[in-house]
Amino acid sequence: MRVEIWSDIACPWCYVGKARFEKALGAFPHREQVEVVHRSFELDPRRARDDVQPVITMLTKKYGMSEAQAHDGEENLGRQAAAEGLAYRTRGRDHGSTFDMHRLLHLAKEHGRQSELLDALYRANFAEERSVFTEGDERLVELAIAAGLDADAARKVLADPDAYAAEVRADEQEAAQLGASGVPFFVLDRKYGVSGAQPADVFTQALTQAWGERSPLTLFQGGDADGDACGPDGCAVPRS
């Protein structure tokens, strides 16, 4: 079974939702047969790379809330994160473009290190004091190395603005086609969608239902039902 997760590094509920989903997946009896693929989704796709501002400022401008409301929201998110065992800085974080991070995540996918890099980016953005937006490419290279990627490969991607750009945009277009207007958004076997950072038991229910409703393979009946094949006992002898 395949689970696809659309998310953004700047999305606090994606940070929390990943932990909740992984808690459910860790207790799922068929977890070894579940493939998890992370997909790109930018909350602010038109933001310029050098346009960085405090999170509180972004929240007040984008959502029209007061500073007090924005701070209250961050405190609530901090409590939600703590309940999942996640560190979360409720003060002093900044916000910027995540496009380059998504491009690196596609590099990580090719090397089987996608989840590790996503975790590193989440920790850096939500829990650590150093910014992932203002320290330049070398900050992202450090995180790529921590996730098990080659430093030169990461630098090469970051130096080429076209590297994996089409893959990021394709993920985002697919999200729109599936009806995802926000993240996190979970798609199970292209049959069920789960929107938001749901409690772990909701993910458990979704995994169980999707697993139980997998369609059995229907064999095409237009040829010889006993066609030549290889199996555990060897290969069929070719017929004259």
Side-chain angles (χ1 to χ4, degrees):
M1 184 167 71
R2 169 182 269 206
V3 178
E4 297 163 278
I5 307 173
W6 273 264
S7 59
D8 190 12
I9 299 93
C11 164
W13 288 117
C14 297
Y15 179 46
V16 173
K18 185 174 188 290
R20 291 176 177 173
F21 172 76
E22 289 178 347
K23 182 183 294 183
L25 182 61
F28 187 57
H30 310 287
R31 60 187 177 277
E32 298 302 327
Q33 294 168 269
V34 177
E35 176 192 12
V36 178
V37 178
H38 295 279
R39 302 284 191 192
S40 298
F41 189 106
E42 294 171 274
L43 292 174
D44 213 345
R46 288 176 290 277
R47 182 175 288 272
R49 187 180 184 187
D50 60 353
D51 183 4
V52 180
Q53 61 184 167
V55 165
I56 297 300
T57 301
M58 179 275 294
L59 291 172
T60 58
K61 289 182 177 180
K62 188 171 183 177
Y63 300 107
M65 58 179 64
S66 67
E67 284 196 12
Q69 289 172 322
H71 281 300
D72 286 345
E74 284 294 285
E75 291 294 335
N76 175 54
L77 281 162
R79 290 189 292 271
Q80 298 278 351
E84 304 302 328
L86 302 172
Y88 189 98
R89 293 178 63 226
T90 60
R91 295 288 188 273
R93 292 194 304 106
D94 55 13
H95 177 82
S97 171
T98 57
F99 185 60
D100 286 345
M101 301 178 207
H102 284 293
R103 295 195 300 115
L104 278 180
L105 283 165
H106 278 277
L107 170 69
K109 179 184 176 184
E110 289 189 352
H111 294 276
R113 309 298 296 176
Q114 194 181 38
S115 184
E116 289 82 358
L117 179 57
L118 188 56
D119 283 338
L121 291 168
Y122 277 147
R123 284 194 301 271
N125 186 40
F126 292 110
E128 299 175 6
E129 291 189 13
R130 294 176 61 194
S131 174
V132 294
F133 301 108
T134 61
E135 294 193 22
D137 288 352
E138 282 306 302
R139 174 63 170 141
L140 298 183
V141 171
E142 287 179 16
L143 296 171
I145 294 170
L149 295 175
D150 177 73
D152 289 339
R155 289 191 184 97
K156 185 177 180 180
V157 169
L158 292 170
D160 179 3
D162 292 328
Y164 298 104
E167 287 82 351
V168 174
R169 297 306 182 211
D171 277 356
E172 293 173 338
Q173 290 170 8
E174 197 165 11
Q177 291 167 0
L178 290 170
S181 58
V183 285
F185 190 72
F186 303 77
V187 176
L188 290 74
D189 262 356
R190 290 298 171 111
K191 186 173 183 179
Y192 291 103
V194 179
S195 180
Q198 300 287 348
D201 61 346
V202 173
F203 289 121
T204 297
Q205 294 171 27
L207 286 166
T208 301
Q209 186 165 336
W211 181 268
E213 294 184 11
R214 289 174 305 142
S215 298
L217 185 66
T218 300
L219 291 176
F220 178 63
Q221 299 299 320
D224 186 348
D226 297 317
D228 296 331
C230 293
D233 298 323
C235 296
V237 178
R239 288 174 282 185
S240 58

